[in-house]
Amino acid sequence: MARITIATRESQLALWQANEVSRLLKHHHPDLEIEILGMTTEGDRFLQASLAKAGGKGLFVKELERCLLDERADIAVHSMKDVPFELPQGLHIHTILAREDARDAFVSNRYQSLQDLPDNAIVGTSSTRRSCQIHAARPDCDIQPLRGNVNTRLAKLDAGEYDANILASAGLKRLGFDQRITSYLDTEVSLPAIGQGAIGIECRQNDACTEALLTPLHDVRTARAITAERRISTALSANCHLPIAAHATESETQITLRALVGSLDGKHIIRASQRGAIQQMEHISQQVADDLITKGALELMAAIPD
């Protein structure tokens, strides 16, 4: 009987994702034996510091990858927005599931939207990307760090520590917190993180048995979008803690890619976008990256302190 071990973080959302992968695998392979191996990563332990200071989003995946390389697990399940752009030798993202809503959510108990907030309202987020764009839309807001799992972040809002929080819609929906979403931030106001809303499955390269089990779970449209978005960061040599965003959407025959790089205070935001045939995705990604660079993205990024 075939058997597979799934490495995952032990946060509520990460476990939901791992169990969803398990459910889908069982659907396609009813006789498959599945074990979920939960782990606490460095990213989960460094809750008092910003991700940038702690070492970036890669802290959430390094220990899971070590499990794969040591063959203690066969696959690791990640939020694609947390996956570094360079993977360890011998590993690759083989499968990407169909994407959930990629937008950011405005969550508040008293106000209906970002524009409804009073002057100097306290908004919680530890994302430099969100902070940059919220500053641009509402320069008066007092943006304060917000770390922890979804339940912790909502509890802090309910305790009155914040007037509003900005969270990923996908995570709220997956955990059954749809009703906590007060409104959605239009992507013109808050362009999503690269890979936001998508779940990726990492495994060892040339592990043909595991790859065969995963193949039915792969969503081609989502994978194309995520690939286009990640090429922006690769072209800019950007790391995860910079205020950078990219979002690709697809119609029947065309793909649209929008991207931005901003300053921490939101006073300077460089944007670029391109639309073209799906077959030209790689060219479109390069055009968007080149446009950002021409407009000064590299200089803007270099001015941001480590």
Side-chain angles (χ1 to χ4, degrees):
M1 180 182 292
R3 177 184 176 84
I4 198 166
T5 299
I6 303 173
T8 177
R9 295 166 57 206
E10 291 185 305
S11 72
Q12 187 180 6
L13 181 56
L15 287 170
W16 183 96
Q17 294 176 165
N19 279 293
E20 176 66 2
V21 169
S22 176
R23 182 188 71 79
L24 291 170
L25 284 169
K26 277 285 191 181
H27 173 75
H28 291 284
H29 314 288
D31 295 329
L32 183 64
E33 201 172 298
I34 300 174
E35 177 188 359
I36 293 179
L37 176 62
M39 302 183 66
T40 301
T41 68
E42 287 184 69
D44 299 305
R45 289 190 285 269
F46 282 99
L47 291 179
Q48 301 308 313
S50 71
L51 277 180
K53 292 178 180 178
K57 291 182 178 180
L59 292 177
F60 289 128
V61 303
K62 286 179 181 177
E63 286 163 70
L64 305 185
E65 290 175 330
R66 199 171 296 125
C67 264
L68 296 181
L69 293 169
D70 293 344
E71 298 191 11
R72 287 177 285 151
D74 302 294
I75 64 174
V77 178
H78 308 299
S79 293
M80 281 305 298
K81 67 181 179 61
D82 293 336
V83 177
F85 304 107
E86 291 186 11
L87 301 178
Q89 187 173 359
L91 302 180
H92 68 147
I93 300 293
H94 177 273
T95 302
I96 297 179
L97 306 188
R99 194 175 209 167
E100 180 49 275
D101 194 330
R103 291 175 294 178
D104 286 323
F106 176 87
V107 182
S108 177
N109 294 325
R110 292 188 288 168
Y111 307 102
Q112 290 302 306
S113 70
L114 186 64
Q115 295 307 319
D116 287 339
L117 288 172
D119 291 346
N120 304 312
I122 300 174
V123 178
T125 179
S126 287
S127 160
T128 58
R129 173 193 61 83
R130 289 177 181 142
S131 178
C132 162
Q133 295 183 86
I134 298 305
H135 270 309
R138 286 292 307 267
D140 60 290
C141 284
D142 179 9
I143 299 178
Q144 292 294 323
L146 179 65
R147 289 288 310 278
N149 61 35
V150 172
N151 285 310
T152 298
R153 297 182 190 203
L154 292 175
K156 290 181 177 181
L157 176 70
D158 294 341
E161 295 180 35
Y162 304 88
D163 294 301
N165 290 345
I166 309 299
L167 302 170
S169 300
L172 291 167
K173 290 182 175 184
R174 286 170 176 152
L175 292 178
F177 289 127
D178 308 55
Q179 75 282 0
R180 295 302 305 264
I181 299 175
T182 309
S183 59
Y184 296 96
L185 292 180
D186 191 282
T187 56
E188 294 293 334
V189 174
S190 186
L191 196 64
I194 292 169
Q196 185 159 305
I199 295 171
I201 305 175
E202 188 176 13
C203 67
R204 290 181 293 276
Q205 290 176 338
N206 304 317
D207 183 350
C209 292
T210 297
E211 290 177 347
L213 292 170
L214 293 174
T215 295
L217 280 62
H218 188 63
D219 186 80
V220 174
R221 286 172 63 104
T222 300
R224 270 197 297 261
I226 301 303
T227 299
E229 294 167 14
R230 286 171 67 85
R231 278 182 175 148
I232 296 299
S233 188
T234 300
L236 298 176
S237 299
N239 58 48
C240 294
H241 71 266
L242 291 170
I244 180 171
H247 185 53
T249 54
E250 193 176 301
S251 64
E252 288 186 7
T253 61
Q254 293 196 310
I255 189 166
T256 301
L257 177 62
R258 293 181 292 147
L260 67 79
V261 174
S263 60
L264 294 176
D265 60 9
K267 291 180 179 178
H268 304 284
I269 296 182
I270 297 170
R271 302 176 187 269
S273 65
Q274 287 287 338
R275 186 181 184 204
I278 289 170
Q279 297 88 335
Q280 298 296 314
M281 182 191 73
E282 187 171 348
H283 177 64
I284 290 166
S285 300
Q286 191 60 55
Q287 280 187 309
V288 172
D290 289 345
D291 193 13
L292 289 171
I293 291 169
T294 299
K295 291 175 178 176
L298 296 181
E299 292 79 5
L300 186 59
M301 290 163 56
I304 297 172
D306 293 333

